[in-house]
Amino acid sequence: MKKLAYALAGLASIVFATNAMAMETLGQVKDRGHVQCGVSQGLPGFSNADDSGNWTGLDVDLCRAVAAAVFGDSEKVEFSPLSAKQRFTALSSGEIDILSRNTTWTMTRDTQLGLNFAGVNYYDGQGMMVPKSLGATSGLELDGANICTNTGTTTELNITDYFRANNMSFNLVAFEKADEVVSAYDAGRCDVYTTDRSGLAAQRGKLTNPDDHVVLPEVISKEPLGPVVRQGDDNWFNIVRWSLNATINAEELGVDSGNVDQMRNDDNPSLKRLLGTEGNFGEEIGISNDWAYNIIKQVGNYGESYEKHVGENTPLKLARGVNKLWKDGGILYAAPIR
Amino acid sequence: MASEKSIFLSVLNDTRSRSLIIQFLLLAGIVLGFSWIVENTITNLAAQNKSVGFGFLSQTAGFNIQTTLGTWMFDYEVGRSTYLDVYYIGIVNTFVVAFFGVLAATVIGFAFGIMRLSHNFVIRSFATVYVEVLRNIPLLLQMFFWYFAVLSALPDKRGKIEIIPDIIGINITGLYIPSAHPQDGFMATVIALIVAAVLTFFINRWARLRQQATGQIFPAFWVGAGLLVGLPLIVFLVTGRPLTWVIPEFLETGPILRRGYQDGGILVIPEMMAIWLALSLYTAAFIAEIVRAGIQAVNKGQTEASSALGLRRGPILRLVIIPQAMRIIIPPLTSQYLNLTKNSSLAVAIAYPELVSIFAGTALNQVGKEIEMIFMMMSVYLTFSIATAMFMNWFNARAKLVER
């Protein structure tokens, strides 16, 4: 009944809430004293809570960046773990200020669900994991498979498209939470576990014998994952978008949490604008001018977050790949601060 | 001045006009509150650039749904079936689980309720432990327990346990049962069954009237059972068995993913078994307590009087105690049936494609019409609940004490 209650609460807040709710998120956040951020219920590397309840991950860092921009303190953020199914209702009802939960940017979501995507913090694609004992080397050999995944995600649609396009039959077993998907796949209910490839890398560690499973080479979809806000509050949208842009620009300009104090004295005009020693960029969106300095000092630039949470030296071992900066051969490209 | 005040006071002190005023104020309050809700909803939706309407129901749904009774009944096909079909499939799947859950919970609940009153220490303690354990563990945990218990007990997709060799088998993908396909001429058997049912009804009535008049007992139950089974069976054999069975085929060889049970026959998925087990066993614990309370509420003098008349324990329970206990049992039993139906929405946690899962879950996430879809979902549960309540009220009216 909890899920139902959640949906109903969301419905009720759309129905009952006063009009002010949809407006002026920044003012509300400041009054409340913290940013309320919607994250996953536990996806290592992206948003995951440790034993003492501290949240870490790439998506979590985005929330911390926004908190650092608004309050100058990256700790002024609280997290709401949400299932894939609950996330949009939680956002549109005002329970959370940002949704940073490995959420794919699609046209339907952008145009019909009353949401705005503030950018992309991880370029992903959907993949498939199978037990090695199956002997499959390609997704095209999976005709007749049982496939486990989550409800309320784009993965259900992508996998259906992929099998239809290749004229193969399959049976979809869709669970509400990722933990049950992993358990059911582990128990042998399904031949295939499909989700974003980053998710496969993260969840694989939860299997009884991670080495008995292999991720197939096919990438069957484009999954640009990024933070989401409600439509109708452009200022808040700007704050979230530019918090993300700041971390990417910082990496491009070679600023990280270690050298940011020293770089602040640099004469490079791009750096001066980024770190708030020149111009009025922060005040124009209702926050302080050293907003980006606070982000970089307290959270770090994009590359730092990446290496810390999902990079080669983490259990996920995800290569930067397309998530490299544009000048290093990737597609990560943030609009300039000027 | 004084008279004006006294008129006002006299109107206020008059019971009839006062009740009118209160009713009017209440009505005005409801209307105002309701229009405020509607107004607010429209403004908030507009602020988020959302439209309202049921047009999405005719869009095609782009996701696969597990094979269940619902997908079979509505011939679900990705890219052709619409969100309306998804809605219907959700309703059917919810109904199936609720229906079989109510049946099983009633049988198990009555059994344990009577066992709780047994004179045998072992039986009584067993029933007590059952009730206390099951009703005190959250239902969601029980669902996970049964689901993963079912999954780990079963062989994998390429293995099988044969319950009846070559006919009924089970593995981790589900329970495979042959399906019956009526051929031309099967109608005669159906008609025979209806005739037998009508005959049984009249024989029962005649036997009851005769027993009341003369005291002679006619074995109406056995005659009825014989009729119901025998007559259709004879017709079925005479018309040349117009029924074919499709038995699920099991492949041992071929591509590894194609091995195992093939389509055909009836498939009961493990998610369905788990949710059915969990709902039935959980609700049965509550029903057992209701039954025990109902039986204990019947005055002990009734039992003693029946014994004095020379009745044995069985007939005392069946003819004297249970009919009186039913009056007390039925109203709370109705609540349990309603609870079971609504609790079936927890099935989303273990991938059973019922209404909340596929319609208010997957489909809602894709079309984002919260208000319309939650409304549609709520009306289904409301309809189920009202239908159950109506049936139980009718049953209650029949079972309640008729004063003579």
Side-chain angles (χ1 to χ4, degrees), chain B residues 180-202:
Chain B
H181 297 261
Q183 307 294 308
D184 291 344
F186 187 72
M187 210 49 213
T189 308
V190 177
I191 292 169
L193 184 69
I194 295 170
V195 169
V198 172
L199 277 178
T200 309
F201 175 77
F202 282 111

Side-chain angles (χ1 to χ4, degrees), chain A residues 1 4 14-17 19 85 88 92 113-114 141 143-144 146 156-157 169 172 174 187 189 191 231, chain B residues 36-37 40 44 48-50 62 64 66 78 148 157-158 172-173 257-258 271 346 351 362 365-366 368 377:
Chain A
M1 285 317 284
L4 192 61
I14 293 183
V15 174
F16 295 112
N19 304 337
K85 207 180 115 202
F88 300 128
S92 44
L113 301 195
E141 297 165 23
D143 188 20
N146 276 337
E156 286 169 289
L157 297 174
S169 70
L172 191 69
R189 175 70 180 94
D191 306 304
Q231 276 190 16
Chain B
W36 176 74
I37 287 175
N40 223 340
N44 280 330
Q48 293 180 22
N49 279 338
K50 282 189 173 185
N64 183 299
Q66 268 215 81
V78 178
F148 289 109
K157 195 181 167 190
R158 283 156 279 282
I172 202 162
T173 59
L257 276 162
R258 277 292 176 196
E271 288 77 25
L346 286 172
T362 307
N365 247 276
Q366 281 159 18
M377 182 194 71

Side-chain angles (χ1 to χ4, degrees), chain A residues 23-46:
Chain A
M23 313 298 157
E24 265 289 297
T25 311
L26 179 62
Q28 282 187 359
V29 167
K30 281 182 171 167
D31 288 347
R32 197 191 304 129
H34 67 258
V35 177
Q36 192 71 36
C37 186
V39 290
S40 77
Q41 289 157 318
L43 181 66
F46 288 84

Side-chain angles (χ1 to χ4, degrees), chain B residues 140-295:
Chain B
L140 188 61
L141 288 185
Q142 296 192 31
M143 281 185 184
F144 286 139
F145 171 79
W146 287 115
Y147 184 50
F148 289 109
V150 165
L151 285 192
S152 55
L154 296 175
D156 71 3
K157 195 181 167 190
R158 283 156 279 282
K160 60 177 169 174
I161 298 176
E162 295 196 323
I163 295 166
I164 301 175
D166 292 329
I167 297 178
I168 298 180
I170 189 169
N171 67 18
I172 202 162
T173 59
L175 173 70
Y176 292 83
I177 307 169
S179 59
H181 297 261
Q183 307 294 308
D184 291 344
F186 187 72
M187 210 49 213
T189 308
V190 177
I191 292 169
L193 184 69
I194 295 170
V195 169
V198 172
L199 277 178
T200 309
F201 175 77
F202 282 111
I203 288 173
N204 270 331
R205 224 172 75 153
W206 169 79
R208 199 173 62 240
L209 290 176
R210 193 179 76 140
Q211 192 185 353
Q212 279 169 7
T214 68
Q216 285 173 296
I217 296 175
F218 182 77
F221 176 79
W222 294 109
V223 172
L227 258 181
L228 280 174
V229 175
L231 193 61
L233 192 68
I234 292 168
V235 174
F236 180 66
L237 292 176
V238 166
T239 50
R241 303 189 214 175
L243 195 65
T244 55
W245 293 88
V246 174
I247 296 167
E249 191 190 356
F250 188 88
L251 286 186
E252 303 265 6
T253 52
I256 188 160
L257 276 162
R258 277 292 176 196
R259 279 179 227 167
Y261 280 106
Q262 308 299 306
D263 292 343
I266 297 169
L267 165 64
V268 183
I269 53 174
E271 288 77 25
M272 160 103 189
M273 294 184 235
I275 188 106
W276 176 72
L277 264 176
L279 280 176
S280 313
L281 295 177
Y282 177 77
T283 314
F286 291 89
I287 293 181
E289 282 299 272
I290 292 170
V291 169
R292 180 184 64 81
I295 291 175

Side-chain angles (χ1 to χ4, degrees), chain B residues 356-391:
Chain B
V356 175
S357 171
I358 57 173
F359 189 69
T362 307
L364 174 60
N365 247 276
Q366 281 159 18
V367 278
K369 303 273 184 206
E370 286 100 344
I371 295 189
E372 298 87 331
M373 295 174 92
I374 300 281
F375 172 77
M376 286 174 73
M377 182 194 71
M378 290 201 301
S379 17
V380 170
Y381 285 105
L382 190 65
T383 312
F384 280 180
S385 296
I386 290 177
T388 313
M390 274 169 65
F391 174 76

